[in-house]
Amino acid sequence: MSKFFIFFLLVLVAAVALRLSFYFLTPPKIKSGDSVSFITTITSDPKISNGKKELIVNYGDFWHFVPVTVVLPINSAVNYGDTVEISGKIDERLLNDKTSSFLIYFPTLKAKSGGFMPIFAKIRSQITDFCEKSFSQPYSGLLAGMLLGVKNTLPNSITISFRITGVSHVIAASGMNVTLIAGFLMSFLGRITRRKWALLFSMFGILAYMCLSGLDPSILRAGIMGLLVFGSQLFGRQYTVVYSLFLTSGALLFWDPLLLLDVGFQLSVGATIGIVFLKPLIPLKGFLLDDIGTTIAAQIATLPILLGTFGSYGLLSILVNALVLWTIPLITILGGVGVTLGLIFQPLGQFILVIIFPLLWYFVGVVLYFSQFALVWQISSFPVFLTIGYYLIVVSWVWASRLKREVRN
C-alpha cells in the first residue's frame, strides 16, 4: 500500500468522522406543526400499508436532512422515479427508543418534470408488467424481485415464507445482482469489441442497472465498487476488494450519514466483509458446498445485525440457501436477457423465460416446503456488549488463522 493511499484513507476517515459527528449532534431543523414545501425524487417503491401508500423521503439540505414518512391515499399516482413537490404539515412522533419520527399526512402533491429517472422508472414498470404477463404469481413476483428488487408484487404469504427460510435477500436487488450483470456484460462485450470499450459500456450498464433497481444502499455500495473495479482496469491500476469497500463505504457515509443506521447498508457491508475474510477459512469446495460456504461466511458476519434488528433467525436458512443459491445466476442472467428481448419482441422474450420457469418453480417449492416447519430462533433483544464480544471473537479467529498461515509459509 503506497504512502499516498494511506494518507488518502486517513483523510477520508477524518472527513467521515467529522461529517457523522456534525450530522448526529446537530438537532433537526423542523418540528411538529411546521408547514413545509420541498421538491424530491422518489427513489424507492412506495410501501402499501393499511390501505395507504407510504413514501420515505429526505427533507433538508446536504449538511443536515431528516427522513420524513409521507402518507398518501392508496390511489395516489406517485411511483418510483417521479419528481414531485410535496407541501404539507409536519407531525412529529416519539418512538419507543426516544427518537423522533417525522410524518406528513396526505400532503398536496405537484408533479415536476425533468431528470432522467422517469425514463428508468418507465422501463422498470414495463419489465414488471412483462414478468406478470409471462408468469402467474408467485413466479412473476419472484422474477421481478430477483431482477430489480421489486417487492410489492409478491403475495404476503410468500414474503413471510421467504423471511422464515432466510432467503429474503433474493427479492432485494443486491451486490450479487450487480456482480452477475457486470460479469455478463464484460464477458459478452469483450467478445465483440475492444477491452477498453467493453469496460466503458459495462460501466454504463452498471449505472443503468443501479437506476433501474432503485438505488438501495446495497445496490449503491455494490455498484460503486463495480465502477471502481472497471475504472481501475481501464487505467491499468491494481484493484483490491477491501480498499474498494472501504472507499465506497466512506464516500457513501459522507454523502448520506443516515446510511450508518440503515439495516440494508449494514447487512450489505457486513456480508461482503464476511465473504472476503471468512469464506477462505471455511473448507467447503465443490457444487453446493461452495454456496454453503458463502452463506455461512455472510451469516456469521451479519448474525448480530439480524438478531438485533429483526429479533429472529431462520434455523434452516443455511440449508435453504444452499439448495437455491445455485439457481440465482441462471435466473438473473437468462431472466435479464429474456425481459430485455421481450421489450423489443415479446414472443422471443417469453420463449427465453419459459426456459427458466422450472428454476422458479423449484425455488418456490423449496422455500414453501421448508417454511412449513417454521424453525425460527426468536429473541427479545441482542445487547450491545454481546455484539462487541461476538465480533471480537470473529476478528480473533481471522487473525489467528492468518498468523498460523504465515507460520506455515
Side-chain angles (χ1 to χ4, degrees):
M1 188 187 301
S2 66
K3 292 182 179 180
F4 172 79
F5 195 79
I6 294 176
F7 174 76
F8 180 79
L9 290 181
L10 292 175
V11 171
L12 179 63
V13 170
V16 172
L18 287 173
R19 169 76 162 133
L20 294 176
S21 299
F22 176 80
Y23 182 88
F24 288 107
L25 294 178
T26 303
K29 296 181 179 179
I30 58 174
K31 61 182 183 300
S32 183
D34 284 353
S35 294
V36 298
S37 182
F38 59 100
I39 297 174
T40 187
T41 299
I42 310 303
T43 57
S44 61
D45 290 315
K47 179 182 177 182
I48 308 299
S49 177
N50 299 321
K52 298 184 291 292
K53 275 187 178 181
E54 293 183 0
L55 304 170
I56 298 181
V57 299
N58 290 328
Y59 171 77
D61 54 30
F62 171 78
W63 295 108
H64 202 287
F65 51 85
V66 293
V68 176
T69 300
V70 180
V71 182
L72 302 168
I74 189 67
N75 58 353
S76 178
V78 177
N79 295 291
Y80 172 80
D82 292 343
T83 298
V84 294
E85 181 179 354
I86 300 175
S87 302
K89 186 170 291 186
I90 293 291
D91 184 24
E92 184 176 1
R93 297 288 178 85
L94 192 64
L95 303 179
N96 293 333
D97 59 359
K98 306 303 181 183
T99 59
S100 294
S101 173
F102 298 101
L103 303 94
I104 302 178
Y105 286 101
F106 307 110
T108 301
L109 300 180
K110 184 182 297 183
K112 296 290 182 179
S113 60
F116 59 87
M117 287 301 291
I119 299 174
F120 290 102
K122 184 177 181 179
I123 298 174
R124 177 185 172 93
S125 177
Q126 290 175 339
I127 291 175
T128 303
D129 292 341
F130 183 68
C131 291
E132 292 177 347
K133 290 178 182 177
S134 302
F135 300 128
S136 60
Q137 288 289 2
Y139 310 107
S140 61
L142 175 58
L143 180 58
M146 281 188 172
L147 294 179
L148 298 176
V150 179
K151 308 180 187 69
N152 54 13
T153 61
L154 269 175
N156 188 54
S157 59
I158 296 294
T159 303
I160 293 173
S161 297
F162 276 44
R163 190 180 305 123
I164 291 173
T165 52
V167 293
S168 295
H169 60 88
V170 170
I171 53 174
S174 63
M176 179 183 291
N177 299 63
V178 175
T179 301
L180 291 172
I181 297 297
F184 173 76
L185 288 174
M186 191 61 201
S187 176
F188 175 74
L189 294 172
R191 297 175 186 274
I192 61 176
T193 186
R194 295 174 57 185
R195 179 175 173 80
K196 176 181 178 181
W197 292 109
L199 287 168
L200 282 172
F201 286 129
S202 296
M203 292 173 72
F204 280 115
I206 292 174
L207 285 170
Y209 181 74
M210 290 168 65
C211 294
L212 281 176
S213 57
L215 299 177
D216 286 338
S218 59
I219 287 293
L220 286 173
R221 192 272 308 161
I224 294 175
M225 285 184 67
L227 292 174
L228 287 175
V229 174
F230 290 156
S232 62
Q233 293 178 12
L234 192 63
F235 293 100
R237 301 291 183 181
Q238 187 176 5
Y239 166 75
T240 305
V241 175
V242 178
Y243 300 156
S244 176
L245 178 63
F246 190 89
L247 291 172
T248 302
S249 302
L252 288 174
L253 286 172
F254 187 86
W255 176 261
D256 184 359
L258 287 175
L259 287 177
L260 186 67
L261 307 177
D262 186 274
V263 177
F265 182 77
Q266 295 171 8
L267 291 174
S268 176
V269 173
T272 304
I273 292 174
I275 293 171
V276 170
F277 290 102
L278 299 179
K279 187 180 178 183
L281 307 181
I282 302 173
L284 296 174
K285 303 293 181 183
F287 181 67
L288 287 184
L289 293 179
D290 191 60
D291 286 340
I292 293 175
T294 300
T295 302
I296 291 175
Q299 294 200 3
I300 288 175
T302 58
L303 182 60
I305 302 173
L306 292 170
L307 293 177
T309 303
F310 304 109
S312 64
Y313 174 74
L315 298 177
L316 295 176
S317 62
I318 292 178
L319 173 61
V320 176
N321 274 274
L323 291 174
V324 300
L325 278 181
W326 66 272
T327 68
I328 296 177
L330 295 172
I331 294 174
T332 302
I333 297 301
L334 291 177
V337 172
V339 298
T340 301
L341 293 177
L343 296 181
I344 302 171
F345 184 60
Q346 184 171 314
L348 178 59
Q350 289 181 330
F351 173 77
I352 294 177
L353 292 189
V354 167
I355 300 174
I356 65 172
F357 178 75
L359 298 176
L360 295 170
W361 176 83
Y362 166 81
F363 194 108
V364 173
V366 169
V367 169
L368 291 180
Y369 175 76
F370 284 101
S371 66
Q372 65 184 330
F373 297 106
L375 293 178
V376 179
W377 176 24
Q378 299 278 0
I379 64 171
S380 57
S381 63
F382 198 79
V384 175
F385 73 89
L386 283 182
T387 300
I388 296 174
Y390 177 90
Y391 281 121
L392 285 175
I393 293 173
V394 173
V395 170
S396 299
W397 175 33
V398 174
W399 189 263
S401 299
R402 176 168 294 185
L403 290 177
K404 184 184 293 187
R405 188 166 58 250
E406 291 177 354
V407 170
R408 287 178 178 175
N409 296 335

